[in-house]
Amino acid sequence: MFRTAIPLGRWAGIAVRAHWSVLLVLFLITDLLATAVLPRAAPGADPGWYWVTGVLTAAGFLASLLLHELSHAAVARRHGVGGKRITLWMLGGAADLKAEPSTPKADFRIAVAGPIASVLIGVAGLGAAVLVAGVAHPLPVSGLAWLGAGNILLGVFNLLPGAPLDGGRMLRAAVWSRRGDRARAGAVAERFGQALGAAFGIAGLAQLLLFGRFSGLWLILLGWFLIFAAQAEFAAGPLRERLGGVRVGEIMNPSPTVVPGWWTVDAFADHAAGAGRDRVFPVLSFDGVPVGVVSLGDLIRVPADARRATRVADVARKDQTVTVVGVDARVTELMNRVFLRPGRDLVLVTESSALAGVVGAGDLARAVELATLRHRPRAAAPHSPGDPR
Ligand SMILES: [Zn+2]
């Protein structure tokens, strides 16, 4: 849902981006502070200073949004599902994890970390305001106090039980822990999120129409975003959920035709013509370690008169374009990482550094199709080509 986001750099390997709606928040907060909050809290100052304090306070608020997200990411890393990227947006932010938490407990802890950070920042802001209240100019003191109150409000708002808010994730973890079904728990949290969004929308509409308050527009926007985000999560949910527990070892081809790297292109082409139906092959080193991938297409590119003298290992792709994963890796993780071209690419699956099998484009497509049919692919037993099956 955050396709139009501005990159802000990387922190500890996590890409941080801002959705355009953050600019709207920055402007709204600055405007609110400079024209209403600060003139009332510290009257009589130069109008320019209201704007300066307003911009600084709004920027501080965005920085604390980032801290909120980073604490999600830090706890996630502790539970072995490090952060991939963070997107700031008008409702706080979204931390995309590299994988889904595997237990309700981890899910809950990752979710609750953000609101805890916000409330702590809020308390620190209010505390600092109280400390400097006697000595500093009322303008920065008001800014600090607003920052503190804003963060506490943000923390509490994010605890509301509905996806995509942190409270929604906590609700999901709780239902997951009680019922043992993560997919259904996610659906419950998303329905709560949509109900929450609808409630905000109705409250905003009532404010606007019954009381003529334009702040109602803000609530309507908030409600619309909540419903939109809950639906986006819902749409991405079921297939991922169903594929969620499936491991690479369950969908791989455990007995592919392999190429000893020292064979010549000609010798291997002859062998491949009679062995199986594969078009892409794992290449093994002399001691049986997988070193790369080669396709019949790669072999075609070797000039005909050189095929008797060229070794397959010299033609094989061995760079970063070849993906190597363990048998226990999750299929969803793999799908996030690679795009496999049929007849050209292959994922090498290893078990204690020996080749355990391969995953091609067809294997991934099959896993998705089976998941859509609500069936789980079963691991094929390794067999030699002549075995009756
Ligand atoms: Zn959060």
Side-chain angles (χ1 to χ4, degrees):
M1 61 174 295
F2 300 115
R3 250 167 258 159
T4 48
I6 310 143
L8 295 179
R10 298 182 79 87
W11 269 275
I14 301 165
V16 178
R17 315 180 303 164
H19 186 242
W20 61 267
S21 57
V22 162
L23 292 177
L24 183 72
V25 174
L26 191 65
F27 171 76
L28 286 175
I29 293 177
T30 307
D31 183 62
L32 178 77
L33 285 165
T35 61
V37 176
L38 294 173
R40 220 173 293 154
D46 186 84
W49 283 112
Y50 289 131
W51 285 98
V52 170
T53 315
V55 167
L56 287 177
T57 309
F61 189 70
L62 288 189
S64 38
L65 280 187
L66 185 59
L67 282 175
H68 171 114
E69 292 311 315
L70 284 173
S71 34
H72 284 306
V75 176
R77 177 173 288 187
R78 261 207 184 165
H79 286 279
V81 283
K84 189 166 68 180
R85 77 185 164 200
I86 286 171
T87 312
L88 293 179
W89 66 305
M90 58 183 278
L91 290 189
D96 291 328
L97 306 177
K98 276 185 185 132
E100 301 286 351
S102 53
T103 62
K105 206 175 186 178
D107 202 20
F108 188 89
R109 285 191 182 156
I110 295 167
V112 82
I116 288 178
S118 289
V119 170
L120 287 181
I121 296 169
V123 170
L126 285 180
V130 169
L131 272 180
V132 298
V135 284
H137 188 277
L139 212 46
V141 175
S142 311
L144 270 176
W146 188 90
L147 198 59
N151 268 292
I152 290 176
L153 201 66
L154 178 77
V156 172
F157 171 74
N158 264 294
L159 286 173
L160 290 176
L165 300 176
D166 295 328
R169 304 226 156 88
M170 289 155 65
L171 174 70
R172 177 180 72 184
V175 176
W176 179 12
S177 165
R178 288 196 80 163
R179 303 247 192 94
D181 186 341
R182 188 175 184 282
R184 281 183 54 195
V188 169
E190 273 139 20
R191 238 167 286 136
F192 268 73
Q194 286 172 337
L196 208 59
F200 272 112
I202 290 166
L205 213 58
Q207 260 198 2
L208 192 69
L209 298 180
L210 300 181
F211 306 104
R213 282 202 214 135
F214 277 96
S215 56
L217 275 178
W218 178 241
L219 279 178
I220 293 171
L221 200 61
L222 206 66
W224 179 77
F225 255 101
L226 272 180
I227 293 173
F228 177 72
Q231 269 172 349
E233 286 214 355
F234 197 73
L239 184 64
R240 274 185 71 94
E241 296 289 355
R242 266 177 249 142
L243 264 177
V246 180
R247 309 280 169 173
V248 171
E250 295 171 73
I251 69 158
M252 70 181 184
N253 168 9
S255 42
T257 304
V258 297
V259 198
W262 63 93
W263 281 24
T264 64
V265 169
D266 212 26
F268 177 67
D270 186 51
H271 175 74
R277 313 234 81 69
D278 297 334
R279 293 167 64 208
V280 206
F281 311 89
V283 181
L284 299 188
S285 73
F286 199 70
D287 37 9
V289 177
V291 289
V293 165
V294 80
S295 67
L296 292 179
D298 295 325
L299 301 182
I300 290 170
R301 272 186 281 279
V302 180
D305 52 355
R307 288 179 196 150
R308 284 169 153 273
T310 309
R311 292 180 319 137
V312 174
D314 299 329
V315 192
R317 281 167 279 145
K318 299 166 213 160
D319 51 1
Q320 293 128 326
T321 59
V322 178
T323 308
V324 182
V325 294
V327 281
D328 287 329
R330 285 168 191 274
V331 172
T332 46
E333 227 171 283
L334 187 65
M335 291 173 81
N336 287 340
R337 274 173 61 189
V338 298
F339 173 73
L340 298 175
R341 293 162 296 180
R344 173 116 181 93
D345 298 316
L346 208 55
V347 171
L348 303 176
V349 186
T350 57
E351 194 164 18
S352 44
S353 82
L355 186 74
V358 297
V359 172
D363 300 313
L364 272 189
R366 180 172 175 271
V368 170
E369 285 160 0
L370 282 172
T372 312
L373 290 167
R374 294 176 175 274
H375 281 277
R376 193 187 174 99
R378 282 183 291 274
H383 67 102
S384 50
D387 274 353
R389 300 194 81 191

